[in-house]
Amino acid sequence: MAKKNNTVSFEQQLFKAADKLRKNIDAAEYKYVVLGLVFIKYISESFDELYQKLEADEWSDPEDRDEYLAENVFFVPQTARWSHIHNNAKLPTIGQIIDEAMDAIESENKELKNVLPKVYGKANLDKASLGQLIDLISNTELQAENEKSKDLFGRVYEYFLGEFANAEGKKGGQFYTPKAIVKLMVEMIEPYKGRVYDPACGSGGMFVMSEKFVTEHQGKISDITVYGQESNQTTWKLSKMNLAIRNINSEFVVWNTEGSFLKDAHPDLKADYILANPPFNQKDWGINILQEDARWKFGAPPNGNANYGWMMHMLYHLAPTGVMATVLANGSLSSNTSGEGKIRENLVEQDLVECIVALPKQLFYNTGIPACIWYLRREKANHSKEILFIDASEMGYMKDRVHRDLAEEDIDLITETYHNWRKGESYEDVKGYCKSATIEEVQKHKHVLTPGRYVGIPDEEDDGIPFEDKMADLSATLKEQMDKEAELNQEIKEQLANIGVNI
C-alpha cells in the first residue's frame, strides 16, 4: 500500500511540475502538448528495450522495422527517438523538431496515422518552457526506481487525463469518466473474455480498465477485443494514444462526425460486454430522421432526450448472453415524458433490467447532477423477474472542495453485493442499502426504478438506553441551561444598573 501512495505522489508531483510550465495556454490545448510528449517517451522506451535486445543478437538488425512489427512494438525512426528530442530540447526550433518526429512516427506506423498531435511549432507555445517540459519527462525514469517505466507512463497518461479533465471542468467530462465509476462498472460485469463495446468511448477509459481487469485475473490482453466509436476527433486521438500506450489493439475504435446514432460504425456487432457513459440528457440527437430505425424495439425515444436512445442502441448490439452497464442521469429512472415511461415499462416487463445502482452526487467533472448505473442482461439465470436495487447515494468521500469519489471499500461492497445476489449466496436485503425486488413490486411503483423507493430508510441504531432515562437526562440538561440563562440575565441587569441603565 505504501508503494501505491508513493506512486500517486510521484504522478501528482509530475503533473504539478508540468502544469507550472503551462503559463498562459488553456488546459484544453496544453493537454495535447503534454500527453503527446508522454506518448512519444513511452514508445521510445518500448522501442529502446527491443533495440537493445536486437543489438545484442548477432543475427538481428536493430534498425529492421519488421523486427518491431513482429513483436507488436512501434518502430521509432531516428529523428523521432526521445534521445534526439532531448538532445535538441534547448534549440529554438524544438517545436518544429517534435512536429516532424510525430509525422515520422505516423508514416512508419499506419495505425497511428492522423492520431498524433502536431501542435509544438505553434507560436503561442513558449519554446523555453517546452524544453523544460522535455527535461521533466526525461527525468521521470530516474524517479521511477524499480517501477517498470512502460507501466509507469501508462499510469502517468491516465492520471494526466483525469487532471486535465478536472482543469477543463464541464468540457473535461466529455472525454473522461472518473476512474472509480469505470472501475465499479468493470468489476461488476467482469469482462474476462470476448468483445467489449463502448459506443461513446471518449478517451478509452472503459477499455483500459477492462484490460486491467483481464490482466489482474491472469488473462491476456488478447482475450478481449475492443470496439468503440467517438464523434469528437480530438478525443478519439486521445483514446488511440491511450490504448496504444497500454498495448491494446484499437483497430476497431473508430471516429466519424455523425456519431453512433446517425452512422453506426459497427452495424453487425454483437458484443459480450458493453460499457458506456454517454452524454447525459442529450437533445436534438437525430431521431427526426431515425423514426423507423430497427434499434427502437421498445419504443421511439424522444427528440428532447437521448437517454433511452443510447440504451436501446446498446441493447441492439448486445449478444444473447451479454451484459451491459451504462451511466445515465437519474431522470431516466422515473421520467414519464414523451413516452419514456412506456419504454422503461417495456424494458422491465421484458425482464432485461438486472440491477440499478444510485450513485452519489458530485462524482462527475461536467455535471453535479446525480446519476445512476443501469445493468441490463438478457439471461438473468437465478433472478428471472427480479431486479437488484443498490442505493450508494450516500457513499464516497469529498476528494476536494467540489468533487466526490468512491473509496475502494465502497466499490468492493457494491461489487460483492451484486455478485452474491447473482450467485444466490450470502445475499440479504439491507434496509437503506439494497433490495432484491420482484417485477410485481416494481409494477406497484408504476415502473419507477429509483432505488430509494425499494431499499427504504435505514433503521437507526439502538443505543440500548431506555426512553424514560433519555427524557430524564434531557430534562435535567434543559433545566440546568434555563437556570444558567436566568443567572446571566440577572448579571446583565445588575451591570447595566451600575452605569445608570435600568431595564
Side-chain angles (χ1 to χ4, degrees):
M1 184 59 79
K3 186 178 176 184
K4 187 178 174 187
N5 288 339
N6 289 336
T7 303
V8 170
S9 172
F10 163 70
E11 289 152 7
Q12 284 171 341
Q13 283 172 19
L14 185 62
F15 183 80
K16 269 187 186 172
D19 201 45
K20 266 188 191 170
L21 300 171
R22 176 157 71 93
K23 297 192 171 169
N24 57 348
I25 299 180
D26 289 341
E29 190 179 350
Y30 191 60
K31 73 171 176 283
Y32 297 108
V33 173
V34 177
L35 293 174
L37 285 177
V38 170
F39 180 76
I40 212 169
K41 178 75 168 86
Y42 161 77
I43 63 167
S44 283
E45 291 265 326
S46 304
F47 175 84
D48 282 345
E49 196 177 294
L50 184 53
Y51 188 96
Q52 286 169 23
K53 276 187 195 168
L54 294 171
E55 201 173 30
D57 179 359
E58 62 177 310
W59 304 106
S60 300
D61 175 7
E63 293 294 339
D64 182 355
R65 185 174 169 277
D66 291 341
E67 297 275 12
Y68 297 86
L69 276 179
E71 294 292 328
N72 201 23
V73 170
F74 291 110
F75 180 76
V76 185
Q78 283 192 344
T79 55
R81 291 173 197 168
W82 189 260
S83 53
H84 177 73
I85 290 170
H86 194 201
N87 289 340
N88 291 290
K90 299 299 185 292
L91 294 182
T93 53
I94 183 61
Q96 191 186 340
I97 289 169
I98 300 173
D99 284 342
E100 287 170 1
M102 295 293 185
D103 274 331
I105 294 168
E106 284 190 358
S107 65
E108 291 286 351
N109 302 277
K110 284 181 185 171
E111 58 270 49
L112 294 176
K113 194 177 177 187
N114 298 324
V115 167
L116 304 182
K118 289 134 209 163
V119 294
Y120 300 90
K122 283 187 172 179
N124 67 338
L125 184 60
D126 177 61
K127 300 304 178 283
S129 297
L130 181 57
Q132 291 174 50
L133 184 60
I134 292 167
D135 283 344
L136 184 69
I137 293 171
S138 294
N139 290 337
T140 53
E141 60 191 297
L142 300 175
Q143 298 176 52
E145 297 176 357
N146 296 325
E147 293 266 354
K148 273 188 172 181
S149 56
K150 282 196 296 180
D151 294 344
L152 176 72
F153 280 107
R155 286 208 310 278
V156 165
Y157 190 95
E158 187 182 1
Y159 181 78
F160 277 28
L161 266 179
E163 288 301 303
F164 279 121
N166 191 11
E168 287 184 48
K170 194 172 180 181
K171 284 185 182 171
Q174 292 172 6
F175 65 84
Y176 184 80
T177 303
K179 193 175 167 185
I181 299 172
V182 180
K183 185 170 185 189
L184 176 64
M185 294 166 78
V186 168
E187 294 282 339
M188 285 176 76
I189 74 168
E190 301 181 304
Y192 285 110
K193 196 168 191 173
R195 290 152 295 187
V196 180
Y197 175 49
D198 181 350
C201 67
S203 54
M206 300 288 181
F207 301 138
V208 170
M209 192 61 78
S210 297
E211 178 265 333
K212 271 188 202 168
F213 179 84
V214 170
T215 51
E216 281 171 9
H217 290 82
Q218 287 75 48
K220 294 177 291 186
I221 299 178
S222 57
D223 287 344
I224 57 169
T225 308
V226 303
Y227 295 81
Q229 184 163 353
E230 174 56 45
S231 60
N232 182 310
Q233 190 184 25
T234 50
T235 300
W236 170 76
K237 289 179 178 182
L238 290 178
S239 76
K240 294 286 277 187
M241 288 194 284
N242 197 12
L243 298 178
I245 221 165
R246 296 280 182 180
N247 215 17
I248 301 171
N249 185 345
S250 64
E251 181 184 355
F252 304 116
V253 177
V254 178
W255 160 74
N256 62 46
T257 50
E258 295 88 345
S260 293
F261 286 132
L262 296 172
K263 191 174 179 182
D264 189 351
H266 308 289
D268 302 321
L269 173 67
K270 294 297 176 190
D272 302 294
Y273 306 94
I274 301 179
L275 293 150
N277 174 23
F280 284 2
N281 305 326
Q282 188 181 0
K283 294 183 172 63
D284 303 323
W285 51 279
I287 186 65
N288 295 342
I289 55 174
L290 294 169
Q291 284 289 335
E292 304 301 321
D293 198 285
R295 288 172 287 185
W296 319 141
K297 201 174 168 186
F298 305 96
N303 185 48
N305 195 318
N307 286 344
Y308 283 105
W310 282 111
M311 203 182 298
M312 283 188 279
H313 171 86
M314 291 179 222
L315 269 172
Y316 180 81
H317 285 290
L318 190 66
T321 55
V323 56
M324 58 171 270
T326 181
V327 183
L328 291 176
N330 269 7
S332 61
L333 300 172
S334 58
S335 168
N336 285 316
T337 310
S338 308
E340 289 183 314
K342 188 63 185 171
I343 298 173
R344 189 172 57 251
E345 179 184 332
N346 288 338
L347 293 169
V348 170
E349 295 298 329
Q350 293 289 319
D351 204 16
L352 290 164
V353 183
E354 183 183 47
C355 176
I356 302 285
V357 176
L359 295 170
K361 291 178 185 174
Q362 297 173 274
L363 283 178
F364 294 87
Y365 293 116
N366 56 335
T367 176
I369 64 171
C372 57
I373 308 174
W374 289 66
Y375 295 83
L376 283 82
R377 193 189 291 266
R378 288 201 172 91
E379 285 190 357
K380 290 166 68 177
N382 296 333
H383 292 285
S384 174
K385 303 287 182 185
E386 286 177 47
I387 299 174
L388 175 64
F389 291 95
I390 297 177
D391 188 349
S393 58
E394 298 299 320
M395 286 188 179
Y397 64 97
M398 293 303 288
K399 67 176 181 178
D400 58 39
R401 205 166 44 82
V402 184
H403 299 116
R404 183 171 284 275
D405 205 356
L406 289 173
E408 286 292 324
E409 51 266 33
D410 297 327
I411 295 171
D412 290 346
L413 175 63
I414 298 167
T415 304
E416 188 178 271
T417 303
Y418 172 72
H419 289 154
N420 285 348
W421 176 77
R422 287 208 72 222
K423 289 183 283 190
E425 294 172 3
S426 310
Y427 172 83
E428 281 182 16
D429 291 341
V430 177
K431 237 180 162 185
Y433 169 59
C434 65
K435 162 82 178 174
S436 179
T438 62
I439 296 282
E440 288 74 26
E441 289 174 89
V442 177
Q443 288 166 346
K444 283 180 192 165
H445 287 280
K446 298 183 177 173
H447 300 94
V448 168
L449 300 179
T450 309
R453 288 199 177 204
Y454 300 90
V455 303
I457 300 167
D459 290 330
E460 284 194 17
E461 281 186 29
D462 185 358
D463 54 13
I465 303 171
F467 175 77
E468 292 76 13
D469 292 354
K470 280 186 188 173
M471 276 307 291
D473 282 348
L474 286 170
S475 301
T477 304
L478 182 62
K479 183 170 187 318
E480 193 179 314
Q481 289 172 342
M482 289 169 76
D483 290 346
K484 187 70 180 172
E485 183 189 11
E487 188 184 318
L488 288 171
N489 285 341
Q490 184 59 36
E491 177 71 19
I492 291 168
K493 266 187 183 178
E494 288 172 10
Q495 293 298 332
L496 287 172
N498 288 339
I499 57 171
V501 179
N502 294 309
I503 56 172

